[in-house]
Amino acid sequence: MRGFILLLLMLCSFKAVLAEVKTIRAIVSDSNAPPFALFDQDSNLAGGISKDILEALANHSQLVLQYLALPRGRVEQWLLRDDADIACFLNPDWVEQPEQLLWSNSLFNTRQVIIRRNNSPAIQKMTDLLGKRLGTDRGFSYPEFDKMFSQRLLIRDDATSLEVNASRLQKLRLDAVLAVDLAYHYYQQTHDSEGSAADPFLGQSQG
């Protein structure tokens, strides 16, 4: 079973930056599903794993946090241009120039799951997905599925959040949804998920 390693990502010059400034410019996008990031009605970061990690880092370093709300597709370029110092929940497989960035050790592991309606057959192997429309997160990279998406063996259908994708799934607009286990478990605690089930992703990398 292939699990995703979620990493805290930092610029190569991060240590030098800390020596010169008293602020950490931290990217936390609303594309990070709860419980990774929780936003209030004014789109301010109000809680979640990312906030806990960044506040602990800032307190330890005696620095002030400045949050930058960016869409996923702009994160790498902001880091490379030194417009931001740090970003949460990225993976070297998800960026174009991972060698230009300094990666921390793994903070924790999470597992990708495929959410389906509970009255549909379990998804046990990659071929069970052939021809299906998959709900995905806008701006996210899915290396295991890229080849099948490009060949139209699977249909990628982006949305802004797991909540939107789960709703579309129950309305029969999707066949399945790609998510990670922590996000799905949080969704189960905060929404009516009685009509859905989740299967661990068992396929091999398609990259």
Side-chain angles (χ1 to χ4, degrees):
M1 183 175 299
R2 181 179 173 87
F4 279 99
I5 301 175
L6 297 188
L7 302 171
L8 189 67
L9 181 151
M10 292 176 283
L11 285 174
C12 291
S13 60
F14 187 51
K15 291 183 179 179
V17 170
L18 293 187
E20 297 176 3
V21 302
K22 296 183 179 180
T23 300
I24 301 177
R25 300 166 298 172
I27 299 173
V28 182
S29 172
D30 59 6
S31 61
N32 293 127
F36 302 111
L38 304 174
F39 291 85
D40 62 22
Q41 294 181 345
D42 297 320
S43 298
N44 297 314
L45 184 66
I49 298 172
S50 57
K51 188 172 186 292
D52 293 342
I53 292 172
L54 290 168
E55 286 184 350
L57 175 63
N59 290 336
H60 178 75
S61 304
Q62 297 183 332
L63 297 170
V64 176
L65 275 172
Q66 176 188 355
Y67 291 118
L68 305 174
L70 297 176
R72 172 70 73 175
R74 296 170 62 188
V75 170
E76 182 179 5
Q77 290 306 310
W78 275 57
L79 291 166
L80 291 173
R81 292 200 310 261
D82 198 20
D83 291 330
D85 302 312
I86 190 169
C88 290
F89 310 125
L90 291 179
N91 185 299
D93 291 337
W94 303 346
V95 297
E96 295 182 359
Q97 301 181 64
E99 71 283 354
Q100 298 297 318
L101 301 168
L102 178 64
W103 300 85
S104 76
N105 294 327
S106 301
L107 300 180
F108 55 87
N109 294 334
T110 190
R111 181 175 299 169
Q112 191 164 45
V113 295
I114 302 174
I115 306 168
R116 57 180 170 82
R117 291 180 292 277
N118 60 7
N119 59 359
S120 64
I123 297 171
Q124 300 178 330
K125 54 187 181 299
M126 193 65 118
T127 53
D128 292 337
L129 292 170
L130 291 176
K132 295 188 182 298
R133 181 176 292 275
L134 298 185
T136 48
D137 289 324
R138 185 168 298 140
F140 273 47
S141 174
Y142 298 92
E144 293 82 357
F145 295 92
D146 280 348
K147 185 176 181 179
M148 298 185 76
F149 286 144
S150 66
Q151 295 177 347
R152 301 293 289 177
L153 298 174
L154 301 175
I155 301 171
R156 176 171 180 164
D157 195 333
D158 285 350
T160 56
S161 68
L162 173 56
E163 183 176 354
V164 172
N165 272 333
S167 175
R168 295 196 300 158
L169 178 67
Q170 292 307 318
K171 293 176 181 177
L172 308 183
R173 294 170 58 188
L174 299 172
D175 298 303
V177 173
L178 296 179
V180 294
D181 52 1
L182 288 180
Y184 179 62
H185 294 160
Y186 184 86
Y187 177 84
Q188 287 181 301
Q189 295 173 10
T190 55
H191 296 79
D192 180 9
S193 60
E194 186 174 345
S196 66
D199 302 312
F201 172 56
L202 301 174
Q204 298 299 314
S205 174
Q206 295 297 308

